[in-house]
Amino acid sequence: MNATEITNQIKHTANILNIDKWDYGASFSNDYSVQVDRGAAKQLKASQKQVITLRVWNKENLVGITTTSDLSETGIKKALKQANIASEFGNKNEFTDFSPLAKDPIQVKEIDKKNPLGIKKLLKILREAESKLIDSHEAIKSIPYNGLSESFYERIYANSDGAFRNYSKSQAALYLYARAEEKDKKPRSSGSVKLGYGVEDIDIESCIKEASKKTIAHLDYSSIKTGKYLVCLSPEAFLTIINAFSSLFNARSIIDGVSLSDKNSIGDMISISALNIYDDGLNDKNISSAPFDGEGTPTKKLSIIKKGKLENFLHSESTAKIFNTIPTGHAGLGSKVSVSPDWLVIERSSDCSELNMSLEHTNYEGEFVYIEELNAIHAGVRASQGSFSLPFEGWIYSNGKKSSIESATVAGDIKYLLRNIVNIENEEELTTSGISPHIWISELSITGDE
């Protein structure tokens, strides 16, 4: 069945069951992925998925929810019945409704549809990439983490009030994570990830060169003394930490009492005036962009922090109602709807008076720690307390020379970090999770082996 047929089937069955109010989100996909180990196929996977999440409102306006992969008339009827039964146990303290924007126009990007290459071609491409990466340097002995995948999917949202929207697209991903070993030294690892609408869009040679260059660069390593350092965060590292503390601007987290912000925090100065942060899910460079969220609300660019001030929260329908505002297009689909950012864009504002623009990671000759990648995010972040203690991969720079750091942990507080930004470099870089320039922090605690 196509999207229209499924919607008509649900509408027809709901009428039979005397269910007046419902909505659903559906996801259909064909996925292919391969992994290799020294030329041999390690994992080959092809899957076809179809999942519908159905919500039903009962006469008391309580919501029940169920999911099913059975799209037959019998399967849909069974799912509607189950959701209707579940609605008797719906949340009586917080009422969910349709998004008031579920019928508003959406922006769907026009992208050429890609055709699947299939498992055999993916395997051939990945084998060649693995071989080239191993051959790129004598110290690179293996590529323990690697994968090439392509996915073709469709997303749908519809409700009993007449809202209906869908889109389809394709996406491909390549990741190569190399391991280098030298006698009497610890193994060193690093890697690269590339995304595209199809495999033909991915610059495979660039991924190989980047993974090799980053891994080799870490071979000459040394320990670092525990202390406080001037720190430069790579675009990827800064986006990682902002996403980890996104509860700061997440209305769901505020309502649940697990955010450092409260309902009255809009307008608070939480960073320096040079910092702007947007959520821009429809950005042209976002491969994974979606024109609407789980409730059918259109995705849009939203200013979160403007010149250091908290300007907006992310909302679902139910949180927006509590805050007396409108949904922002960041909801998942559920009886208790989740809220999360799409794709963050960090930039320097027009007010640069507080910045030390002499700090550029490519030419600054003083001592500083460069953090390339943060690890163990789920274990090392206490979002409700604002603290973090995270192992990282990076370098220590001194007098223009850099040395890979053997192992170290960076610790701090997100509020301190945001208020102690000393430079936001001019050049913005595209990453897999958003866009950001390099960000300098005046002083963070680094725990090393000395």
Side-chain angles (χ1 to χ4, degrees), residues 128-361:
E128 290 175 355
E130 183 199 41
S131 177
K132 285 184 180 179
L133 182 50
I134 290 176
D135 292 343
S136 67
H137 194 275
E138 59 184 5
I140 296 179
K141 305 298 184 187
S142 64
I143 319 298
Y145 303 104
N146 64 75
L148 179 60
S149 64
E150 56 181 0
S151 180
F152 305 86
Y153 56 90
E154 180 178 12
R155 304 280 187 267
I156 308 166
Y157 174 83
N159 66 33
S160 56
D161 196 34
F164 175 82
R165 47 195 45 180
N166 67 324
Y167 72 96
S168 60
K169 64 192 306 183
S170 59
Q171 184 173 323
L174 169 66
Y175 65 94
L176 299 168
Y177 202 81
R179 177 184 170 97
E181 300 174 30
E182 288 186 323
K183 189 178 180 182
D184 299 327
K185 286 190 172 183
K186 293 181 179 178
R188 308 294 286 169
S189 295
S190 193
S192 175
V193 180
K194 301 292 181 185
L195 303 178
Y197 293 110
V199 174
E200 56 266 52
D201 293 335
I202 295 177
D203 188 343
I204 296 171
E205 292 298 324
S206 168
C207 190
I208 294 169
K209 287 179 181 177
E210 185 176 319
S212 177
K213 183 179 178 182
K214 288 168 69 175
T215 305
I216 294 166
H218 283 291
L219 287 173
D220 182 20
Y221 64 84
S222 61
S223 58
I224 185 173
K225 290 182 179 178
T226 297
K228 293 192 173 183
Y229 291 85
L230 174 66
V231 169
C232 177
L233 292 165
S234 72
E236 185 176 345
F238 189 69
L239 285 164
T240 296
I241 204 155
I242 294 299
N243 272 302
F245 286 98
S246 61
S247 59
L248 273 169
F249 42 87
N250 185 320
R252 180 77 265 167
S253 300
I254 293 169
I255 293 169
D256 292 344
V258 292
S259 172
L260 296 175
S261 301
D262 59 42
K263 292 180 181 178
N264 301 313
S265 293
I266 294 295
D268 287 356
M269 196 75 184
I270 64 171
S271 186
I272 63 169
S273 58
L275 181 70
N276 287 342
I277 298 180
Y278 300 93
D279 188 87
D280 190 12
L282 290 178
N283 191 290
D284 288 341
K285 296 177 181 176
N286 180 12
I287 299 291
S288 305
S289 67
F292 55 87
D293 70 0
E295 297 180 318
T297 303
T299 305
K300 65 179 182 180
K301 185 176 182 179
L302 182 74
S303 174
I304 296 172
I305 295 175
K306 186 173 184 180
K307 293 189 175 181
K309 286 185 179 179
L310 189 57
E311 192 162 74
N312 282 295
F313 294 137
L314 308 183
H315 283 288
S316 65
E317 180 278 332
S318 59
T319 66
K321 192 161 50 186
I322 293 170
F323 281 70
N324 195 28
T325 183
I326 58 173
T328 56
H330 296 89
L333 185 63
S335 54
K336 182 177 181 179
V337 176
S338 61
V339 176
S340 59
D342 283 328
W343 211 68
L344 297 177
V345 176
I346 316 291
E347 67 175 23
R348 181 200 286 178
S349 77
S350 58
D351 186 353
C352 303
S353 58
E354 299 174 80
L355 298 182
N356 178 357
M357 296 199 188
S358 68
L359 296 172
E360 292 279 341
H361 74 283

Side-chain angles (χ1 to χ4, degrees), residues 186 188 218 221-229 231 368-376 380 388-396 403-412 444-450:
K186 293 181 179 178
R188 308 294 286 169
H218 283 291
Y221 64 84
S222 61
S223 58
I224 185 173
K225 290 182 179 178
T226 297
K228 293 192 173 183
Y229 291 85
V231 169
F368 69 98
V369 169
Y370 180 86
I371 295 180
E372 179 184 72
E373 185 177 336
L374 294 165
N375 301 314
F388 60 88
S389 179
L390 300 166
F392 69 89
E393 295 173 13
W395 287 273
I396 182 163
S403 175
S404 175
I405 296 172
E406 181 179 359
S407 64
T409 300
V410 58
L444 285 175
S445 295
I446 305 290
T447 302
D449 290 338
E450 294 183 27

Side-chain angles (χ1 to χ4, degrees), residues 19 21-26 51-58 61-69 75-91 94 96-98 157-158 294-295 331-338:
I19 294 172
K21 190 172 181 179
W22 53 265
D23 72 353
Y24 83 92
V51 179
I52 288 182
T53 300
L54 271 163
R55 295 192 301 183
V56 165
W57 280 256
N58 64 20
N61 207 29
L62 300 177
V63 183
I65 185 168
T66 189
T67 61
T68 183
S69 58
I76 289 174
K77 187 174 184 179
K78 187 176 179 181
L80 280 167
K81 282 182 176 178
Q82 289 174 335
N84 200 28
I85 293 170
S87 67
E88 296 177 20
F89 305 95
N91 185 358
E94 189 174 314
T96 301
D97 209 331
F98 296 152
Y157 174 83
E295 297 180 318
L333 185 63
S335 54
K336 182 177 181 179
V337 176
S338 61

Side-chain angles (χ1 to χ4, degrees), residues 365-424:
E365 295 197 350
E367 183 182 71
F368 69 98
V369 169
Y370 180 86
I371 295 180
E372 179 184 72
E373 185 177 336
L374 294 165
N375 301 314
I377 299 300
H378 295 294
V381 168
R382 301 284 182 269
S384 60
Q385 300 170 12
S387 62
F388 60 88
S389 179
L390 300 166
F392 69 89
E393 295 173 13
W395 287 273
I396 182 163
Y397 282 68
S398 185
N399 298 320
K401 295 181 180 179
K402 69 176 185 180
S403 175
S404 175
I405 296 172
E406 181 179 359
S407 64
T409 300
V410 58
D413 176 273
I414 186 63
K415 286 189 172 180
Y416 173 89
L417 184 148
L418 289 172
R419 287 172 178 155
N420 286 275
I421 293 172
V422 288
N423 194 26
I424 299 170

